[in-house]
Amino acid sequence: MSEYSRILGVKFNNITHKEAVGLLECFLEEEKCHSVFTPNPEIVMTARKDSEFMEIINNAELVVPDGIGVVIASKFTKEKLKERVAGYDLVQGLFSEIKNKKYTVYFFGGAPGVAEQAKKKMEKIHKGIKIIGVSDGYFDEKKEKLILEDIKNKKPDILLVGLGAPKQEKWINKYKEHLPVKICIGVGGSFDTMSGNVKRAPKIFIDLGLEWFYRLLRQPARIFRMMKLPLFLFVVLKEKLFGR
Ligand code: UDP
């Protein structure tokens, strides 16, 4: 089985959830800052049209498929992905592993107050977790400087950045070399879920690969974003049959 699977130009690590959590733990032992991204079909489609974004994703140390659509698409290629690794689950898996260790976490992103709520919830669920800073994701240049200062002073091992794609990936790429952080993860709307403001789909939906459908039922306005999913599968099939 190959180490990577390339879907419409985006290079995914072909690993399981458990292997991905293990890799993150290895990253914590290294001195450099590692970027971790979790593209879904919508993000892959965006990257296809934005070469800077594509390059940023493909230069990350870990890229996992947050979306059953990407895993299905990989079945049309020679490099089938082992499984979906949702960004939310990856973070929860990491928290479980590190909660009683020395590692510290910083939450950056979401509407004002949401990261703070998420911190409180996570501290209840993962007793012992060390969340040492939070900042919301709505900022101008002046506020951004203060956020960067705060991160530099607190030196978290793990920085979760939830600004939505491609903003969070571009932000991480711009600053990662200047931050005293071991891992930066682009977590999209995960703070909304961690805070309890947005409910995760019931397990049965997740197991059946229908989490996207549940999200659509809860947030019908997402229909326009989700229209990219059938288009994504169509483009993957087209490229398989006729090439680029
Ligand atoms: N967001 C932010 N700053 C911005 C734009 C968005 O902090 O300038 C946050 C927004 O509040 C939400 C997240 O980014 O929490 C994007 O969530 P979405 O569900 O779109 O991301 P996905 O999980 O689909 O990638």
Side-chain angles (χ1 to χ4, degrees):
M1 197 167 263
S2 45
E3 223 181 314
Y4 297 100
S5 181
R6 209 174 263 274
I7 312 289
L8 300 183
V10 176
K11 198 170 132 198
F12 288 88
N13 291 69
N14 194 4
I15 55 179
T16 62
H17 165 88
K18 207 169 161 210
E19 290 165 345
V21 173
L23 195 55
L24 292 180
E25 288 188 273
C26 295
F27 290 169
L28 285 168
E29 297 308 317
E30 294 170 11
E31 273 318 309
K32 67 178 225 175
C33 178
H34 305 76
S35 315
V36 178
F37 300 133
T38 68
N40 56 20
E42 190 190 343
I43 293 175
V44 173
M45 292 300 272
T46 305
R48 246 182 123 231
K49 298 232 163 94
D50 179 342
S51 55
E52 181 208 348
F53 184 35
M54 176 79 86
E55 204 180 317
I56 290 172
I57 298 178
N58 287 344
N59 282 330
E61 280 73 18
L62 176 63
V63 179
V64 290
D66 185 339
I68 195 69
V70 177
V71 179
I72 293 171
S74 77
K75 296 190 196 304
F76 301 136
T77 73
K78 282 190 212 106
E79 305 148 325
K80 290 180 193 54
L81 285 166
K82 288 179 186 168
E83 64 185 21
R84 176 184 180 211
V85 183
Y88 184 84
D89 296 332
L90 184 62
V91 169
Q92 298 303 307
L94 180 62
F95 283 0
S96 288
E97 289 301 322
I98 64 157
K99 64 185 176 193
N100 294 319
K101 297 183 180 155
K102 62 183 178 179
Y103 305 112
T104 56
V105 189
Y106 192 106
F107 286 0
F108 168 41
V114 172
E116 185 63 49
Q117 281 177 303
K119 173 181 184 296
K120 286 192 183 128
K121 276 264 161 79
M122 290 300 108
E123 284 168 345
K124 264 195 192 156
I125 296 175
H126 302 281
K127 288 215 170 15
I129 191 88
K130 290 152 205 73
I131 303 164
I132 56 168
V134 295
S135 294
D136 71 74
Y138 293 85
F139 50 85
D140 54 15
E141 233 176 275
K142 201 171 144 207
K143 188 171 162 188
E144 188 181 29
K145 269 196 182 152
L146 293 175
I147 295 169
L148 285 164
E149 279 300 299
D150 195 37
I151 297 170
K152 280 182 190 162
N153 289 335
K154 290 184 173 151
K155 299 187 178 54
D157 295 293
I158 300 155
L159 174 62
L160 303 188
V161 184
L163 306 176
K167 194 172 177 184
Q168 62 199 13
E169 289 81 1
K170 290 185 176 179
W171 191 94
I172 290 173
N173 184 61
K174 185 170 173 190
Y175 294 114
K176 70 182 270 194
E177 299 302 336
H178 310 286
L179 294 175
V181 171
K182 303 277 175 58
I183 303 176
C184 282
I185 312 181
V187 295
S190 287
F191 296 131
D192 300 308
T193 312
M194 287 186 213
S195 65
N197 293 337
V198 171
K199 291 265 168 297
R200 188 88 200 276
K203 192 170 176 298
I204 179 87
F205 279 81
I206 297 174
D207 291 348
L208 291 172
L210 289 173
E211 186 169 17
W212 60 273
F213 182 61
Y214 180 85
R215 286 185 88 179
L216 184 60
L217 293 178
R218 302 283 302 209
Q219 298 168 273
R222 293 183 80 94
I223 184 82
F224 299 106
R225 291 174 58 173
M226 284 186 179
M227 297 290 266
K228 281 194 183 159
L229 181 62
L231 179 64
F232 165 77
L233 290 173
F234 173 78
V235 176
V236 172
L237 255 179
K238 187 174 127 272
E239 289 199 358
K240 177 180 165 63
L241 295 174
F242 306 111
R244 276 185 167 220

